[in-house]
Amino acid sequence: MPHRFVCQLVERAMQGGYDVYIHAASREEAETLDTLLWTFRDISFLPHAAIDAAEDLNSYPVVIGWAGQTPPARRVFVNLADAAPAAVNDYERIVEVVPSDPAARRQARARYKDYRERGLELHSHNIGAARA
């Protein structure tokens, strides 16, 4: 998973005034992202909290969770898990980062189909292999 690219996406969403929930595939991936959000820029960090580490998640612009957690209300949902989120219609925007490997692309196609069947308006952006 291109975690640095995820951090860049989250940073852009925050700059646009959006609050973000990152749905990691596992707790381990959430911990990797937690560390990277503190360090991916030399002179700054993205304020965030793990879903199980803060009492008042509303005071953080970015919250990181994983399967089995109930996501807080946010405008942007960044899905890094294999399945589409259950409450997909509760979010203003859903971001899917699709790595270039064939297995990940098959899973992404299944999620895309699921989103389309739920009646969501879908937009694809090919950012190219340079950022992966």
Side-chain angles (χ1 to χ4, degrees), residues 15-17 21 25 30 35 37 43 68 80 84 109 113 119-120 126-127:
Q15 289 169 346
Y21 175 71
T35 299
L37 287 168
I43 58 171
L80 305 178
R109 284 187 193 103
K113 180 181 176 190
L120 297 176
N126 186 349
I127 52 101

Side-chain angles (χ1 to χ4, degrees), residues 8-123:
Q8 292 168 343
L9 284 173
V10 169
E11 182 178 52
R12 285 192 67 195
M14 286 177 56
Q15 289 169 346
Y18 292 96
D19 52 2
V20 179
Y21 175 71
I22 304 172
H23 189 70
S26 65
R27 183 181 185 106
E28 292 76 25
E29 183 176 43
E31 290 170 356
T32 297
L33 286 163
D34 176 46
T35 299
L36 197 53
L37 287 168
W38 286 109
T39 61
F40 90 104
R41 293 265 187 241
D42 289 339
I43 58 171
S44 66
F45 66 94
L46 299 178
H48 66 281
I51 197 165
D52 66 344
E55 290 182 26
D56 181 17
L57 294 175
N58 291 326
S59 63
Y60 294 92
V62 178
V63 175
I64 308 168
W66 52 91
Q69 303 294 318
T70 302
R74 297 287 180 199
R75 291 177 66 197
V76 176
F77 187 106
V78 178
N79 187 32
L80 305 178
D82 293 338
V88 70
N89 293 65
D90 293 345
Y91 300 93
E92 187 174 318
R93 295 176 185 244
I94 298 171
V95 177
E96 292 271 346
V97 178
V98 182
S100 59
D101 70 88
R105 293 185 80 67
R106 279 191 299 278
Q107 291 170 333
R109 284 187 193 103
R111 289 189 305 273
Y112 187 92
K113 180 181 176 190
D114 183 38
Y115 294 141
R116 190 175 55 224
E117 289 172 355
R118 294 182 197 202
L120 297 176
E121 181 181 336
L122 304 172
H123 304 276

